[in-house]
Amino acid sequence: MILDLKTALKYIILFLIGVGVLYLAFKGQDLARIWQEIKTANIFWIFISAFTVWIANFLRALRWQMLFQSIDYKVTLKNAYHGVMIGYLANLALPRFGEIGRCSIINKTHGVPMFSSIGTVITERLFDILALFLSALILLIFQYNLISNFLHENIYQSIANKISSLNYFWIIVTALAFILVVIVLIYFLRQKFNTKFLKIIVGLRQGFSSYGKLQQKALFLFYTIAIWLCYFVSMYTCFFALEETSTLPVNAAFTAIVFSGFAMVAPVQGGIGVFHWMVAQSLVLYNLPFKDGLAYATIIHSSQLLLTLLLGTLSLLAVFMVKRNTSKER
């Protein structure tokens, strides 16, 4: 992937936004006390939390492999796992680049067409989004009184104020102009790159059809539930790493998972800043001081970051060595 100046600036701006949110989250807090809490954290529970995330990553590789098998591509579990970990590693550098990165790994190791692979990733992500929204709905139903004030003060009022100041005429004109540009662009792309465009569409359709062709849909759904259950267990077990969070109830971990899930959707490298603020805010709902929530969020985010750096790098080296040995044999 070659980055031009415009693209590079976009990623730099997104990174700076993340750093800005991180700064605002820690602004006015007693940093010395937060650091002291982090230093006294129980390493055992941090390790258990990180290990549970690794299990989720392994399950994600199993689930991804199933989609490839359904469209007749024999992708090994080993390379599916390496692709997942390298994808997470790539996301630390460029947001959402990991999805392309892991598809590139499968393309190089198994020759799976890029757009067929991308189609499976989009399919997989759609199920993750569905799981996140179902979790949010459950949270809203069973803990409505707890989060209603947060939603009203931090989201509803902010959106309402912005909507009230919008000029609807120009919004409609802009939307119609955008749709027209997209239609014209697609038309000219089809005229100029008709064969390539057709291959892209065919590849994506093949990837999108992967779930429909699955013989074991129940197993795929089980893996999806298990992945999110692992995230929940990771969040909950990490509570015990700090004395301040060790008494938080189980439902606090569920709330934190939903909040962190929406935080990770933000196009910022590794969710930096946004993750910290959202997780800390979710724990404030359970009467935990914001500074203690920040200490907790910093610990769990840092442990997952280190896990990604370590295992992602190992997977990158493993794929590189296999490719190098294959080249020598030829």
Side-chain angles (χ1 to χ4, degrees):
M1 180 179 181
I2 300 173
L3 296 178
D4 56 24
L5 181 59
K6 184 179 178 181
T7 306
L9 284 173
K10 182 181 77 171
Y11 288 127
I12 291 170
I13 290 170
L14 289 172
F15 175 73
L16 291 175
I17 289 172
V19 172
V21 174
L22 189 65
Y23 168 76
L24 291 174
F26 281 90
K27 184 181 179 182
Q29 302 297 322
D30 188 344
L31 298 182
R33 188 170 178 180
I34 291 175
W35 176 240
Q36 187 60 37
E37 287 183 30
I38 293 172
K39 286 197 299 183
T40 59
N42 189 316
I43 300 297
F44 171 77
W45 289 111
I46 295 174
F47 175 80
I48 295 297
S49 175
F51 180 73
T52 309
V53 171
W54 175 80
I55 294 175
N57 293 338
F58 182 76
L59 290 172
R60 190 173 290 279
L62 276 170
R63 188 180 66 168
W64 196 27
Q65 184 193 31
M66 287 184 67
L67 293 178
F68 282 119
Q69 290 175 339
S70 72
I71 53 176
D72 300 322
Y73 289 111
K74 298 186 182 300
V75 174
T76 63
L77 177 59
K78 178 180 69 174
N79 285 326
Y81 168 76
H82 288 326
V84 168
M85 294 312 304
I86 292 169
Y88 280 127
L89 183 66
N91 276 336
L92 296 180
L94 301 173
R96 302 295 169 259
F97 180 58
E99 318 304 346
I100 304 298
R102 66 164 160 155
C103 292
S104 178
I105 295 298
I106 299 302
N107 174 256
K108 291 176 181 177
T109 55
H110 292 283
V112 178
M114 278 293 293
F115 286 97
S116 295
S117 190
I118 289 171
T120 63
V121 170
I122 294 173
T123 300
E124 194 187 25
R125 288 305 186 195
L126 287 174
F127 278 91
D128 285 332
I129 291 171
L130 177 62
L132 176 59
F133 276 99
L134 284 176
S135 299
L137 181 61
I138 292 170
L139 179 65
L140 191 63
I141 292 172
F142 291 99
Q143 300 195 69
Y144 177 77
N145 292 332
L146 187 66
I147 66 169
S148 58
N149 289 335
F150 173 84
L151 293 173
H152 185 268
E153 294 173 7
N154 293 275
I155 298 177
Y156 174 76
Q157 284 188 346
S158 177
I159 293 174
N161 291 336
K162 289 180 179 178
I163 289 176
S164 63
S165 63
L166 292 175
N167 187 317
Y168 292 101
F169 173 77
W170 287 112
I171 290 176
I172 294 171
V173 170
T174 303
L176 291 174
F178 177 77
I179 293 170
L180 181 62
V181 168
V182 170
I183 292 172
V184 171
L185 186 60
I186 291 174
Y187 174 78
F188 280 109
L189 283 174
R190 289 190 65 177
Q191 294 297 315
K192 191 172 182 180
F193 307 105
N194 197 35
T195 305
K196 290 184 179 180
F197 189 81
L198 184 62
K199 286 182 179 179
I200 290 172
I201 296 300
V202 170
L204 287 173
R205 283 185 62 183
Q206 185 182 34
F208 291 150
S209 68
S210 57
Y211 177 75
K213 294 179 179 179
L214 275 175
Q215 298 297 316
Q216 298 176 297
K217 290 184 175 66
L219 181 60
F220 181 91
L221 295 175
F222 170 77
Y223 284 150
T224 301
I225 294 169
I227 288 167
W228 283 84
L229 183 61
C230 283
Y231 292 152
F232 166 75
V233 172
S234 172
M235 195 70 75
Y236 181 66
T237 53
C238 201
F239 281 166
F240 300 105
L242 290 174
E243 183 180 349
E244 291 76 11
T245 56
S246 60
T247 57
L248 286 172
V250 173
N251 51 339
F254 184 79
T255 304
I257 278 295
V258 174
F259 276 55
S260 66
F262 284 107
M264 295 307 289
V265 172
V268 177
Q269 290 91 323
I272 185 172
V274 185
F275 177 92
H276 296 73
W277 187 84
M278 289 289 282
V279 170
Q281 284 288 352
S282 72
L283 300 182
V284 167
L285 300 176
Y286 296 88
N287 301 315
L288 185 76
F290 188 74
K291 65 173 182 60
D292 294 333
L294 278 177
Y296 169 82
T298 301
I299 288 170
I300 195 166
H301 186 269
S302 299
S303 65
Q304 292 179 15
L305 181 66
L306 290 172
L307 182 77
T308 300
L309 286 171
L310 174 62
L311 298 183
T313 302
L314 289 175
S315 289
L316 194 62
L317 289 172
V319 171
F320 174 77
M321 291 303 295
V322 169
K323 187 179 177 183
R324 185 179 177 185
N325 291 336
T326 304
S327 298
K328 283 183 178 180
E329 289 174 2
R330 290 176 183 175

